[in-house]
Amino acid sequence: MGCCEFIMKAILVIINSIVILSGLALLVSGGVYLSKAHEYFDVEELAQYSSDIKPIAIPLMVIGGILLVVGLVGCCGAISGKHGLLNVYIIVVIITVVVEVAVCVYCVVKKDSILEASVEGGEYLVNNVNHGNATDNDIKAINSIQYLLSCCGTTGEESYTGGSFPKSCCDGYTYEDDTSSKLDLVTACGDKGTVYEQGCTDAFTQNFNNVGLAIGVLIGIIIVFELFCVIAACVSKKHDMVA
């Protein structure tokens, strides 16, 4: 095996190792969301908003699983030196690229509906607090969302009527399971710090866009790597790098 062939083989192994790690990252991210979704959508009326997000989480997990398999096949093909594995690898990678592009297009199409559903969910929770009919699950959802996103109400503290707002609007608030369903309305944060100026609608939109951009960039980089691997595998076979 010449130096160039050895380098090509090493590149195949390295890139496919990166693909494996990326696949695991997507699998874990999607799995964590699906396992934790009930904590933030544990309100009967909000179930529809959770289901609006799941159609994106599940395809991302599917991509993660496919990437994991593709990476393993590629590594095994490069290390073992089997033409058959590389042939399977090339075919699977091409199919994977098509699926990834299709899922990306699907996610872009669903983006606006998810954001719209999330805004409606936030307005529903805040309205329940303002009308005094918020359930324990409503309060838990509000406290968890405001704590996680560092926000207050839908558009800020003015979202709440009566001049008061939940303590979870304060940057000194600490979310705890045993007190998460308690609605502590205050007029000022006091020793709990300062009130968050940003509303949860803007906070969620920013976070959603940032995560979406990060995932999009990650998948784009993976596609470039995969196409390079296809070329490298074809070159390796042509020069009889593997048996």
PDB file of all heavy atoms in Angstrom, residues 156-192:
ATOM      1  N   GLY A 156     -42.852  39.910  28.094  1.00  0.00           N
ATOM      2  CA  GLY A 156     -42.212  40.579  29.221  1.00  0.00           C
ATOM      3  C   GLY A 156     -43.155  40.585  30.416  1.00  0.00           C
ATOM      4  O   GLY A 156     -44.253  40.010  30.371  1.00  0.00           O
ATOM      5  N   GLU A 157     -42.730  41.232  31.502  1.00  0.00           N
ATOM      6  CA  GLU A 157     -43.552  41.228  32.721  1.00  0.00           C
ATOM      7  C   GLU A 157     -44.915  41.871  32.514  1.00  0.00           C
ATOM      8  O   GLU A 157     -45.875  41.570  33.228  1.00  0.00           O
ATOM      9  CB  GLU A 157     -42.813  41.945  33.853  1.00  0.00           C
ATOM     10  CG  GLU A 157     -42.531  43.424  33.597  1.00  0.00           C
ATOM     11  CD  GLU A 157     -41.863  44.081  34.795  1.00  0.00           C
ATOM     12  OE1 GLU A 157     -42.509  44.163  35.853  1.00  0.00           O
ATOM     13  OE2 GLU A 157     -40.702  44.502  34.667  1.00  0.00           O
ATOM     14  N   GLU A 158     -45.028  42.760  31.516  1.00  0.00           N
ATOM     15  CA  GLU A 158     -46.320  43.402  31.264  1.00  0.00           C
ATOM     16  C   GLU A 158     -47.351  42.413  30.724  1.00  0.00           C
ATOM     17  O   GLU A 158     -48.546  42.743  30.613  1.00  0.00           O
ATOM     18  CB  GLU A 158     -46.146  44.557  30.278  1.00  0.00           C
ATOM     19  CG  GLU A 158     -45.733  44.181  28.857  1.00  0.00           C
ATOM     20  CD  GLU A 158     -44.225  44.039  28.710  1.00  0.00           C
ATOM     21  OE1 GLU A 158     -43.514  44.145  29.747  1.00  0.00           O
ATOM     22  OE2 GLU A 158     -43.758  43.832  27.573  1.00  0.00           O
ATOM     23  N   SER A 159     -46.919  41.201  30.378  1.00  0.00           N
ATOM     24  CA  SER A 159     -47.867  40.177  29.921  1.00  0.00           C
ATOM     25  C   SER A 159     -48.829  39.794  31.033  1.00  0.00           C
ATOM     26  O   SER A 159     -49.965  39.379  30.777  1.00  0.00           O
ATOM     27  CB  SER A 159     -47.113  38.917  29.460  1.00  0.00           C
ATOM     28  OG  SER A 159     -46.200  39.209  28.432  1.00  0.00           O
ATOM     29  N   TYR A 160     -48.366  39.921  32.270  1.00  0.00           N
ATOM     30  CA  TYR A 160     -49.196  39.568  33.422  1.00  0.00           C
ATOM     31  C   TYR A 160     -49.939  40.805  33.935  1.00  0.00           C
ATOM     32  O   TYR A 160     -49.362  41.882  34.063  1.00  0.00           O
ATOM     33  CB  TYR A 160     -48.333  38.975  34.533  1.00  0.00           C
ATOM     34  CG  TYR A 160     -47.650  37.682  34.137  1.00  0.00           C
ATOM     35  CD1 TYR A 160     -46.303  37.671  33.800  1.00  0.00           C
ATOM     36  CD2 TYR A 160     -48.360  36.490  34.097  1.00  0.00           C
ATOM     37  CE1 TYR A 160     -45.668  36.492  33.427  1.00  0.00           C
ATOM     38  CE2 TYR A 160     -47.739  35.306  33.731  1.00  0.00           C
ATOM     39  CZ  TYR A 160     -46.392  35.311  33.396  1.00  0.00           C
ATOM     40  OH  TYR A 160     -45.774  34.141  33.021  1.00  0.00           O
ATOM     41  N   THR A 161     -51.208  40.624  34.223  1.00  0.00           N
ATOM     42  CA  THR A 161     -52.041  41.736  34.685  1.00  0.00           C
ATOM     43  C   THR A 161     -51.964  41.870  36.207  1.00  0.00           C
ATOM     44  O   THR A 161     -51.525  40.962  36.900  1.00  0.00           O
ATOM     45  CB  THR A 161     -53.501  41.513  34.267  1.00  0.00           C
ATOM     46  OG1 THR A 161     -53.964  40.265  34.798  1.00  0.00           O
ATOM     47  CG2 THR A 161     -53.624  41.484  32.748  1.00  0.00           C
ATOM     48  N   GLY A 162     -52.405  43.020  36.690  1.00  0.00           N
ATOM     49  CA  GLY A 162     -52.459  43.246  38.130  1.00  0.00           C
ATOM     50  C   GLY A 162     -51.156  43.724  38.733  1.00  0.00           C
ATOM     51  O   GLY A 162     -51.044  43.843  39.960  1.00  0.00           O
ATOM     52  N   GLY A 163     -50.173  44.003  37.900  1.00  0.00           N
ATOM     53  CA  GLY A 163     -48.910  44.536  38.403  1.00  0.00           C
ATOM     54  C   GLY A 163     -48.003  43.513  39.063  1.00  0.00           C
ATOM     55  O   GLY A 163     -46.989  43.870  39.672  1.00  0.00           O
ATOM     56  N   SER A 164     -48.341  42.227  38.973  1.00  0.00           N
ATOM     57  CA  SER A 164     -47.506  41.178  39.569  1.00  0.00           C
ATOM     58  C   SER A 164     -47.141  40.147  38.510  1.00  0.00           C
ATOM     59  O   SER A 164     -47.767  40.065  37.451  1.00  0.00           O
ATOM     60  CB  SER A 164     -48.230  40.502  40.729  1.00  0.00           C
ATOM     61  OG  SER A 164     -49.451  39.935  40.300  1.00  0.00           O
ATOM     62  N   PHE A 165     -46.147  39.355  38.816  1.00  0.00           N
ATOM     63  CA  PHE A 165     -45.672  38.329  37.885  1.00  0.00           C
ATOM     64  C   PHE A 165     -45.070  37.178  38.699  1.00  0.00           C
ATOM     65  O   PHE A 165     -44.711  37.343  39.866  1.00  0.00           O
ATOM     66  CB  PHE A 165     -44.632  38.915  36.923  1.00  0.00           C
ATOM     67  CG  PHE A 165     -43.546  39.701  37.613  1.00  0.00           C
ATOM     68  CD1 PHE A 165     -42.428  39.053  38.171  1.00  0.00           C
ATOM     69  CD2 PHE A 165     -43.627  41.084  37.727  1.00  0.00           C
ATOM     70  CE1 PHE A 165     -41.431  39.771  38.816  1.00  0.00           C
ATOM     71  CE2 PHE A 165     -42.623  41.805  38.380  1.00  0.00           C
ATOM     72  CZ  PHE A 165     -41.522  41.154  38.923  1.00  0.00           C
ATOM     73  N   PRO A 166     -44.934  35.979  38.095  1.00  0.00           N
ATOM     74  CA  PRO A 166     -44.364  34.832  38.821  1.00  0.00           C
ATOM     75  C   PRO A 166     -42.894  35.067  39.186  1.00  0.00           C
ATOM     76  O   PRO A 166     -42.178  35.762  38.473  1.00  0.00           O
ATOM     77  CB  PRO A 166     -44.498  33.677  37.819  1.00  0.00           C
ATOM     78  CG  PRO A 166     -45.575  34.110  36.877  1.00  0.00           C
ATOM     79  CD  PRO A 166     -45.422  35.594  36.754  1.00  0.00           C
ATOM     80  N   LYS A 167     -42.463  34.477  40.284  1.00  0.00           N
ATOM     81  CA  LYS A 167     -41.068  34.602  40.708  1.00  0.00           C
ATOM     82  C   LYS A 167     -40.098  34.029  39.675  1.00  0.00           C
ATOM     83  O   LYS A 167     -38.933  34.410  39.639  1.00  0.00           O
ATOM     84  CB  LYS A 167     -40.853  33.882  42.046  1.00  0.00           C
ATOM     85  CG  LYS A 167     -41.156  34.729  43.266  1.00  0.00           C
ATOM     86  CD  LYS A 167     -40.730  34.007  44.541  1.00  0.00           C
ATOM     87  CE  LYS A 167     -40.997  34.872  45.771  1.00  0.00           C
ATOM     88  NZ  LYS A 167     -40.589  34.180  47.014  1.00  0.00           N
ATOM     89  N   SER A 168     -40.582  33.101  38.867  1.00  0.00           N
ATOM     90  CA  SER A 168     -39.713  32.505  37.847  1.00  0.00           C
ATOM     91  C   SER A 168     -39.313  33.513  36.777  1.00  0.00           C
ATOM     92  O   SER A 168     -38.463  33.219  35.926  1.00  0.00           O
ATOM     93  CB  SER A 168     -40.396  31.301  37.187  1.00  0.00           C
ATOM     94  OG  SER A 168     -41.669  31.647  36.674  1.00  0.00           O
ATOM     95  N   CYS A 169     -39.906  34.723  36.827  1.00  0.00           N
ATOM     96  CA  CYS A 169     -39.487  35.806  35.932  1.00  0.00           C
ATOM     97  C   CYS A 169     -38.194  36.453  36.422  1.00  0.00           C
ATOM     98  O   CYS A 169     -37.608  37.275  35.708  1.00  0.00           O
ATOM     99  CB  CYS A 169     -40.581  36.884  35.843  1.00  0.00           C
ATOM    100  SG  CYS A 169     -41.966  36.475  34.754  1.00  0.00           S
ATOM    101  N   CYS A 170     -37.757  36.115  37.611  1.00  0.00           N
ATOM    102  CA  CYS A 170     -36.565  36.731  38.207  1.00  0.00           C
ATOM    103  C   CYS A 170     -35.316  35.897  37.916  1.00  0.00           C
ATOM    104  O   CYS A 170     -35.366  34.662  37.962  1.00  0.00           O
ATOM    105  CB  CYS A 170     -36.742  36.878  39.713  1.00  0.00           C
ATOM    106  SG  CYS A 170     -38.202  37.850  40.184  1.00  0.00           S
ATOM    107  N   ASP A 171     -34.210  36.562  37.636  1.00  0.00           N
ATOM    108  CA  ASP A 171     -32.988  35.837  37.283  1.00  0.00           C
ATOM    109  C   ASP A 171     -32.368  35.103  38.468  1.00  0.00           C
ATOM    110  O   ASP A 171     -31.452  34.293  38.300  1.00  0.00           O
ATOM    111  CB  ASP A 171     -31.954  36.774  36.644  1.00  0.00           C
ATOM    112  CG  ASP A 171     -31.556  37.930  37.543  1.00  0.00           C
ATOM    113  OD1 ASP A 171     -31.911  37.925  38.734  1.00  0.00           O
ATOM    114  OD2 ASP A 171     -30.886  38.863  37.034  1.00  0.00           O
ATOM    115  N   GLY A 172     -32.876  35.360  39.684  1.00  0.00           N
ATOM    116  CA  GLY A 172     -32.370  34.650  40.847  1.00  0.00           C
ATOM    117  C   GLY A 172     -33.218  33.443  41.222  1.00  0.00           C
ATOM    118  O   GLY A 172     -32.928  32.751  42.205  1.00  0.00           O
ATOM    119  N   TYR A 173     -34.249  33.163  40.420  1.00  0.00           N
ATOM    120  CA  TYR A 173     -35.137  32.044  40.697  1.00  0.00           C
ATOM    121  C   TYR A 173     -34.451  30.711  40.396  1.00  0.00           C
ATOM    122  O   TYR A 173     -33.732  30.573  39.402  1.00  0.00           O
ATOM    123  CB  TYR A 173     -36.404  32.174  39.853  1.00  0.00           C
ATOM    124  CG  TYR A 173     -37.343  30.988  39.915  1.00  0.00           C
ATOM    125  CD1 TYR A 173     -38.249  30.852  40.952  1.00  0.00           C
ATOM    126  CD2 TYR A 173     -37.316  30.014  38.919  1.00  0.00           C
ATOM    127  CE1 TYR A 173     -39.118  29.770  41.008  1.00  0.00           C
ATOM    128  CE2 TYR A 173     -38.177  28.924  38.963  1.00  0.00           C
ATOM    129  CZ  TYR A 173     -39.069  28.808  40.009  1.00  0.00           C
ATOM    130  OH  TYR A 173     -39.929  27.730  40.062  1.00  0.00           O
ATOM    131  N   THR A 174     -34.667  29.728  41.250  1.00  0.00           N
ATOM    132  CA  THR A 174     -34.116  28.383  41.039  1.00  0.00           C
ATOM    133  C   THR A 174     -35.259  27.394  40.899  1.00  0.00           C
ATOM    134  O   THR A 174     -36.120  27.297  41.782  1.00  0.00           O
ATOM    135  CB  THR A 174     -33.220  27.961  42.217  1.00  0.00           C
ATOM    136  OG1 THR A 174     -32.143  28.896  42.343  1.00  0.00           O
ATOM    137  CG2 THR A 174     -32.646  26.567  41.974  1.00  0.00           C
ATOM    138  N   TYR A 175     -35.264  26.668  39.797  1.00  0.00           N
ATOM    139  CA  TYR A 175     -36.338  25.698  39.533  1.00  0.00           C
ATOM    140  C   TYR A 175     -36.097  24.427  40.338  1.00  0.00           C
ATOM    141  O   TYR A 175     -35.031  23.815  40.254  1.00  0.00           O
ATOM    142  CB  TYR A 175     -36.391  25.363  38.042  1.00  0.00           C
ATOM    143  CG  TYR A 175     -37.504  24.414  37.650  1.00  0.00           C
ATOM    144  CD1 TYR A 175     -38.768  24.904  37.333  1.00  0.00           C
ATOM    145  CD2 TYR A 175     -37.284  23.040  37.607  1.00  0.00           C
ATOM    146  CE1 TYR A 175     -39.790  24.042  36.972  1.00  0.00           C
ATOM    147  CE2 TYR A 175     -38.307  22.176  37.257  1.00  0.00           C
ATOM    148  CZ  TYR A 175     -39.555  22.682  36.931  1.00  0.00           C
ATOM    149  OH  TYR A 175     -40.561  21.829  36.576  1.00  0.00           O
ATOM    150  N   GLU A 176     -37.099  24.033  41.117  1.00  0.00           N
ATOM    151  CA  GLU A 176     -37.032  22.805  41.900  1.00  0.00           C
ATOM    152  C   GLU A 176     -38.335  22.046  41.739  1.00  0.00           C
ATOM    153  O   GLU A 176     -39.413  22.645  41.722  1.00  0.00           O
ATOM    154  CB  GLU A 176     -36.780  23.120  43.380  1.00  0.00           C
ATOM    155  CG  GLU A 176     -35.446  23.825  43.646  1.00  0.00           C
ATOM    156  CD  GLU A 176     -35.262  24.177  45.108  1.00  0.00           C
ATOM    157  OE1 GLU A 176     -36.225  23.963  45.890  1.00  0.00           O
ATOM    158  OE2 GLU A 176     -34.178  24.665  45.469  1.00  0.00           O
ATOM    159  N   ASP A 177     -38.242  20.738  41.600  1.00  0.00           N
ATOM    160  CA  ASP A 177     -39.429  19.922  41.341  1.00  0.00           C
ATOM    161  C   ASP A 177     -40.499  20.056  42.421  1.00  0.00           C
ATOM    162  O   ASP A 177     -41.701  20.090  42.117  1.00  0.00           O
ATOM    163  CB  ASP A 177     -39.026  18.443  41.211  1.00  0.00           C
ATOM    164  CG  ASP A 177     -38.294  18.164  39.906  1.00  0.00           C
ATOM    165  OD1 ASP A 177     -38.497  18.928  38.950  1.00  0.00           O
ATOM    166  OD2 ASP A 177     -37.526  17.183  39.856  1.00  0.00           O
ATOM    167  N   ASP A 178     -40.075  20.142  43.672  1.00  0.00           N
ATOM    168  CA  ASP A 178     -41.067  20.166  44.754  1.00  0.00           C
ATOM    169  C   ASP A 178     -41.802  21.492  44.876  1.00  0.00           C
ATOM    170  O   ASP A 178     -42.850  21.583  45.523  1.00  0.00           O
ATOM    171  CB  ASP A 178     -40.400  19.820  46.089  1.00  0.00           C
ATOM    172  CG  ASP A 178     -39.238  20.740  46.423  1.00  0.00           C
ATOM    173  OD1 ASP A 178     -38.767  21.436  45.505  1.00  0.00           O
ATOM    174  OD2 ASP A 178     -38.813  20.752  47.594  1.00  0.00           O
ATOM    175  N   THR A 179     -41.285  22.545  44.255  1.00  0.00           N
ATOM    176  CA  THR A 179     -41.949  23.859  44.307  1.00  0.00           C
ATOM    177  C   THR A 179     -42.334  24.371  42.926  1.00  0.00           C
ATOM    178  O   THR A 179     -42.830  25.491  42.795  1.00  0.00           O
ATOM    179  CB  THR A 179     -41.037  24.898  44.986  1.00  0.00           C
ATOM    180  OG1 THR A 179     -39.811  25.014  44.243  1.00  0.00           O
ATOM    181  CG2 THR A 179     -40.733  24.503  46.422  1.00  0.00           C
ATOM    182  N   SER A 180     -42.102  23.566  41.897  1.00  0.00           N
ATOM    183  CA  SER A 180     -42.327  24.023  40.520  1.00  0.00           C
ATOM    184  C   SER A 180     -43.790  24.299  40.210  1.00  0.00           C
ATOM    185  O   SER A 180     -44.098  25.074  39.301  1.00  0.00           O
ATOM    186  CB  SER A 180     -41.777  22.990  39.530  1.00  0.00           C
ATOM    187  OG  SER A 180     -42.430  21.752  39.690  1.00  0.00           O
ATOM    188  N   SER A 181     -44.698  23.655  40.943  1.00  0.00           N
ATOM    189  CA  SER A 181     -46.126  23.861  40.681  1.00  0.00           C
ATOM    190  C   SER A 181     -46.728  24.950  41.571  1.00  0.00           C
ATOM    191  O   SER A 181     -47.943  25.118  41.624  1.00  0.00           O
ATOM    192  CB  SER A 181     -46.894  22.547  40.889  1.00  0.00           C
ATOM    193  OG  SER A 181     -46.726  22.069  42.204  1.00  0.00           O
ATOM    194  N   LYS A 182     -45.875  25.692  42.261  1.00  0.00           N
ATOM    195  CA  LYS A 182     -46.341  26.770  43.141  1.00  0.00           C
ATOM    196  C   LYS A 182     -46.230  28.106  42.415  1.00  0.00           C
ATOM    197  O   LYS A 182     -45.167  28.473  41.917  1.00  0.00           O
ATOM    198  CB  LYS A 182     -45.504  26.794  44.420  1.00  0.00           C
ATOM    199  CG  LYS A 182     -45.954  27.829  45.428  1.00  0.00           C
ATOM    200  CD  LYS A 182     -45.097  27.779  46.691  1.00  0.00           C
ATOM    201  CE  LYS A 182     -45.547  28.810  47.721  1.00  0.00           C
ATOM    202  NZ  LYS A 182     -44.709  28.785  48.939  1.00  0.00           N
ATOM    203  N   LEU A 183     -47.333  28.837  42.365  1.00  0.00           N
ATOM    204  CA  LEU A 183     -47.341  30.130  41.684  1.00  0.00           C
ATOM    205  C   LEU A 183     -47.116  31.246  42.706  1.00  0.00           C
ATOM    206  O   LEU A 183     -48.039  31.632  43.424  1.00  0.00           O
ATOM    207  CB  LEU A 183     -48.673  30.341  40.964  1.00  0.00           C
ATOM    208  CG  LEU A 183     -48.801  31.636  40.141  1.00  0.00           C
ATOM    209  CD1 LEU A 183     -47.769  31.651  39.012  1.00  0.00           C
ATOM    210  CD2 LEU A 183     -50.205  31.765  39.562  1.00  0.00           C
ATOM    211  N   ASP A 184     -45.914  31.748  42.753  1.00  0.00           N
ATOM    212  CA  ASP A 184     -45.591  32.858  43.655  1.00  0.00           C
ATOM    213  C   ASP A 184     -45.593  34.151  42.850  1.00  0.00           C
ATOM    214  O   ASP A 184     -44.646  34.438  42.106  1.00  0.00           O
ATOM    215  CB  ASP A 184     -44.201  32.640  44.288  1.00  0.00           C
ATOM    216  CG  ASP A 184     -44.210  31.513  45.296  1.00  0.00           C
ATOM    217  OD1 ASP A 184     -45.244  31.336  45.963  1.00  0.00           O
ATOM    218  OD2 ASP A 184     -43.194  30.799  45.406  1.00  0.00           O
ATOM    219  N   LEU A 185     -46.662  34.926  42.987  1.00  0.00           N
ATOM    220  CA  LEU A 185     -46.754  36.189  42.278  1.00  0.00           C
ATOM    221  C   LEU A 185     -46.113  37.294  43.115  1.00  0.00           C
ATOM    222  O   LEU A 185     -46.403  37.430  44.305  1.00  0.00           O
ATOM    223  CB  LEU A 185     -48.211  36.545  41.984  1.00  0.00           C
ATOM    224  CG  LEU A 185     -48.936  35.607  41.012  1.00  0.00           C
ATOM    225  CD1 LEU A 185     -50.412  36.003  40.889  1.00  0.00           C
ATOM    226  CD2 LEU A 185     -48.265  35.624  39.644  1.00  0.00           C
ATOM    227  N   VAL A 186     -45.242  38.080  42.503  1.00  0.00           N
ATOM    228  CA  VAL A 186     -44.561  39.173  43.199  1.00  0.00           C
ATOM    229  C   VAL A 186     -44.649  40.431  42.348  1.00  0.00           C
ATOM    230  O   VAL A 186     -44.907  40.385  41.143  1.00  0.00           O
ATOM    231  CB  VAL A 186     -43.073  38.822  43.451  1.00  0.00           C
ATOM    232  CG1 VAL A 186     -42.949  37.617  44.380  1.00  0.00           C
ATOM    233  CG2 VAL A 186     -42.352  38.553  42.125  1.00  0.00           C
ATOM    234  N   THR A 187     -44.458  41.557  42.986  1.00  0.00           N
ATOM    235  CA  THR A 187     -44.450  42.837  42.258  1.00  0.00           C
ATOM    236  C   THR A 187     -43.026  43.294  41.956  1.00  0.00           C
ATOM    237  O   THR A 187     -42.819  44.188  41.143  1.00  0.00           O
ATOM    238  CB  THR A 187     -45.170  43.924  43.078  1.00  0.00           C
ATOM    239  OG1 THR A 187     -44.548  44.027  44.367  1.00  0.00           O
ATOM    240  CG2 THR A 187     -46.647  43.572  43.246  1.00  0.00           C
ATOM    241  N   ALA A 188     -42.071  42.684  42.635  1.00  0.00           N
ATOM    242  CA  ALA A 188     -40.656  42.987  42.400  1.00  0.00           C
ATOM    243  C   ALA A 188     -39.840  41.768  42.814  1.00  0.00           C
ATOM    244  O   ALA A 188     -40.266  40.977  43.660  1.00  0.00           O
ATOM    245  CB  ALA A 188     -40.222  44.213  43.194  1.00  0.00           C
ATOM    246  N   CYS A 189     -38.660  41.620  42.199  1.00  0.00           N
ATOM    247  CA  CYS A 189     -37.846  40.443  42.481  1.00  0.00           C
ATOM    248  C   CYS A 189     -37.169  40.508  43.851  1.00  0.00           C
ATOM    249  O   CYS A 189     -36.951  39.484  44.489  1.00  0.00           O
ATOM    250  CB  CYS A 189     -36.782  40.268  41.390  1.00  0.00           C
ATOM    251  SG  CYS A 189     -37.480  39.807  39.782  1.00  0.00           S
ATOM    252  N   GLY A 190     -36.843  41.701  44.306  1.00  0.00           N
ATOM    253  CA  GLY A 190     -36.187  41.846  45.605  1.00  0.00           C
ATOM    254  C   GLY A 190     -34.868  41.112  45.644  1.00  0.00           C
ATOM    255  O   GLY A 190     -34.014  41.293  44.762  1.00  0.00           O
ATOM    256  N   ASP A 191     -34.697  40.234  46.637  1.00  0.00           N
ATOM    257  CA  ASP A 191     -33.438  39.499  46.752  1.00  0.00           C
ATOM    258  C   ASP A 191     -33.341  38.367  45.739  1.00  0.00           C
ATOM    259  O   ASP A 191     -32.355  37.626  45.713  1.00  0.00           O
ATOM    260  CB  ASP A 191     -33.265  38.933  48.167  1.00  0.00           C
ATOM    261  CG  ASP A 191     -34.408  38.000  48.556  1.00  0.00           C
ATOM    262  OD1 ASP A 191     -35.359  37.867  47.769  1.00  0.00           O
ATOM    263  OD2 ASP A 191     -34.318  37.397  49.642  1.00  0.00           O
ATOM    264  N   LYS A 192     -34.376  38.222  44.908  1.00  0.00           N
ATOM    265  CA  LYS A 192     -34.354  37.212  43.862  1.00  0.00           C
ATOM    266  C   LYS A 192     -33.751  37.750  42.563  1.00  0.00           C
ATOM    267  O   LYS A 192     -33.857  37.122  41.511  1.00  0.00           O
ATOM    268  CB  LYS A 192     -35.776  36.705  43.576  1.00  0.00           C
ATOM    269  CG  LYS A 192     -36.359  35.841  44.677  1.00  0.00           C
ATOM    270  CD  LYS A 192     -35.603  34.520  44.800  1.00  0.00           C
ATOM    271  CE  LYS A 192     -36.238  33.628  45.840  1.00  0.00           C
ATOM    272  NZ  LYS A 192     -35.508  32.343  45.986  1.00  0.00           N
TER     273      LYS A 192
END
